[in-house]
Amino acid sequence: MTDNREVPPSSGTPETAPEARSAPRVVLADDDVLLREGLASLLDRSGFEVVGQAGNSTELLDLVRSVRPELAIIDIRMPPTHATEGLRAARVIRAELPGTAIIILSAHVEVDDAMELLAGGNRVGYLLKARVTDVADFIETVERITAGASVVDPSLVQELVRARRQRDPLNALSLREREVLALMAEGASNAGIARRIFVTEGTVEKHVRSILTKLDLPERDAEHRRVLAVLRFLDAR
C-alpha cells in the first residue's frame, strides 16, 4: 500500500538549537574554608560557575582582576585584622569593575558599613550569613543581584529604621510643639499659628522658644533660628 501523504518541502536550512546561556561566573572570598566550600557547592548546583576562591582581600583582588567575574561574594571581615577588609576590597572592585555584582556577607548587622556599600549603586547586596541557611531564598536573592537588583537584608532594614528613630531630632518635641513647628514650616507667623490652633500669641511664643531650645539651635538671630528649626523639620520628613 502506497502512502500518498504530502511531505512538506525542506527549506534547506537546518534548525539551530537555541543558544545556551552561560552560567554567571562567581568568585568567593571568606577565610572560613568550610563556609566557602559549602557556598561553592550550593552555587555550582544552582546554575552558577564558581571560578575562584580567596581567603583574604589581597587574594580576592588578584582573582577578580584576573577572571573578571559577574559576581563577587565577600565576607565583610577577613584577615589580617578581621575588621572591614572585605568592604574595602568591595570598594576597589566597584571602582575598577563597576559591572561586577557584589554581595557582602556579614555575621552581624553593621549599619554604617552597609550604607556605604549600598550607596555605590545597583547590583549590590548586604546579607547576613544566617540567611544562607534558607537555600531557596538565598539563591533567589543571588540571582536577583546578579541580574541588576540591589538587596538589603530585612534585619538591616529594621536596624536602619530604629537608628533613624533614635536620631530624629523631633523626638524631643511634644505633639503641640510638633504642630507649631509644622505651621512654622508652612510660613505662618506666631499670630497666624495662634489663630490656627486657637491659643494666644504669647502661648505660641513659649512653644517656639521651647522648640528652639529642644532642637539645640545656636543662640543667634531669632529669625535665623526659626529657619534652622524649619530645616530640621523638613529634613526629618
Side-chain angles (χ1 to χ4, degrees):
M1 182 175 180
T2 304
D3 188 347
N4 294 321
R5 288 177 298 177
E6 293 185 6
V7 178
S10 171
S11 65
T13 304
E15 292 186 9
T16 57
E19 185 178 344
R21 293 171 58 186
S22 60
R25 294 169 305 129
V26 185
V27 162
L28 298 174
D30 197 310
D31 62 312
D32 185 333
V33 178
L34 289 178
L35 175 62
R36 205 171 68 215
E37 290 291 345
L39 281 175
S41 176
L42 173 60
L43 291 165
D44 280 333
R45 295 196 312 269
S46 302
F48 294 85
E49 180 187 0
V50 177
V51 293
Q53 299 183 33
N56 59 58
S57 59
T58 301
E59 292 176 0
L60 168 63
L61 291 175
D62 289 343
L63 186 57
V64 168
R65 287 163 178 154
S66 172
V67 302
R68 304 175 75 88
E70 281 73 49
L71 171 67
I73 300 179
I74 307 168
D75 183 11
I76 197 170
R77 299 186 184 281
M78 289 191 292
T81 67
H82 291 276
T84 55
E85 285 86 354
L87 184 64
R88 291 199 294 272
R91 283 196 220 109
V92 175
I93 294 170
R94 178 47 55 101
E96 295 184 4
L97 299 168
T100 299
I102 296 172
I103 296 177
I104 289 289
L105 295 180
S106 179
H108 309 286
V109 175
E110 302 178 58
V111 174
D112 292 338
D113 293 335
M115 290 305 295
E116 178 183 344
L117 174 69
L118 295 170
N122 59 359
R123 297 170 64 83
V124 65
Y126 182 97
L127 305 177
L128 292 185
K129 288 186 176 181
R131 186 166 178 150
V132 181
T133 58
D134 187 335
V135 173
D137 180 61
F138 176 70
I139 291 300
E140 180 186 5
T141 301
V142 173
E143 289 173 343
R144 288 171 56 205
I145 294 169
T146 306
S150 291
V151 178
V152 180
D153 196 281
S155 298
L156 175 63
V157 175
Q158 294 173 9
E159 285 295 323
L160 290 172
V161 171
R162 188 177 299 116
R164 174 62 182 263
R165 287 172 178 166
Q166 291 173 348
R167 292 194 300 264
D168 188 350
L170 305 187
N171 283 340
L173 305 184
S174 68
L175 290 177
R176 177 62 95 182
E177 288 166 348
R178 284 173 177 257
E179 185 179 12
V180 169
L181 183 53
L183 291 170
M184 289 167 59
E186 293 177 11
S189 64
N190 285 359
I193 295 172
R195 288 193 297 270
R196 294 275 294 275
I197 64 176
F198 306 105
V199 298
T200 66
E201 189 171 345
T203 299
V204 173
E205 290 174 357
K206 290 179 181 177
H207 285 316
V208 171
R209 284 196 299 270
S210 177
I211 290 168
L212 300 179
T213 299
K214 288 182 177 180
L215 294 183
D216 195 27
L217 296 172
E219 292 286 350
R220 295 178 185 170
D221 174 72
E223 285 303 313
H224 181 63
R225 294 180 78 200
R226 284 178 73 102
V227 171
L228 292 177
V230 167
L231 291 176
R232 292 274 183 91
F233 173 80
L234 295 176
D235 184 59
R237 297 304 91 204

